[in-house]
Amino acid sequence: MTTFEVKDMTCGHCIKAITQAVLTVDPTAKVQIDLASHRVQIESASASAELSHAIVKAGYSPITITAEQASFAPIKTTARVCCCQ
């Protein structure tokens, strides 16, 4: 399991873009995103560096979060209205 903090992820469009970027690297990946805490949790066989690179290519700035840090903020899937139209 890989967890990133993506502070420049702000809306539903961002969630979709990041999810699509990850799925481009690993179509079988499970992606959970908590917009409020800016956390992206990915269950994938792909390397963390590959996933991070895909998120960067999508235009975002992922920071890898350790398992210990990730345990303090439970991930929940949220749906929000996109603020960039």
Side-chain angles (χ1 to χ4, degrees):
M1 180 92 52
T2 302
T3 303
F4 297 104
E5 181 175 50
V6 186
K7 291 185 180 185
D8 48 353
M9 174 180 66
T10 59
C11 66
H13 173 265
C14 301
I15 291 172
K16 185 176 179 180
I18 290 171
T19 300
Q20 288 178 339
V22 169
L23 293 176
T24 299
V25 172
D26 179 359
T28 64
K30 293 181 183 176
V31 183
Q32 292 184 302
I33 297 177
D34 182 358
L35 189 57
S37 67
H38 302 277
R39 298 283 172 101
V40 177
Q41 195 171 62
I42 305 165
E43 189 175 322
S44 171
S46 296
S48 175
E50 286 181 275
L51 300 170
S52 177
H53 181 69
I55 295 170
V56 168
K57 282 181 65 174
Y60 300 91
S61 307
I63 299 168
T64 303
I65 302 297
T66 66
E68 184 177 300
Q69 291 168 320
S71 68
F72 290 112
I75 296 290
K76 57 185 178 241
T77 304
T78 58
R80 294 210 174 181
V81 176
C82 182
C83 67
C84 54
Q85 298 186 16

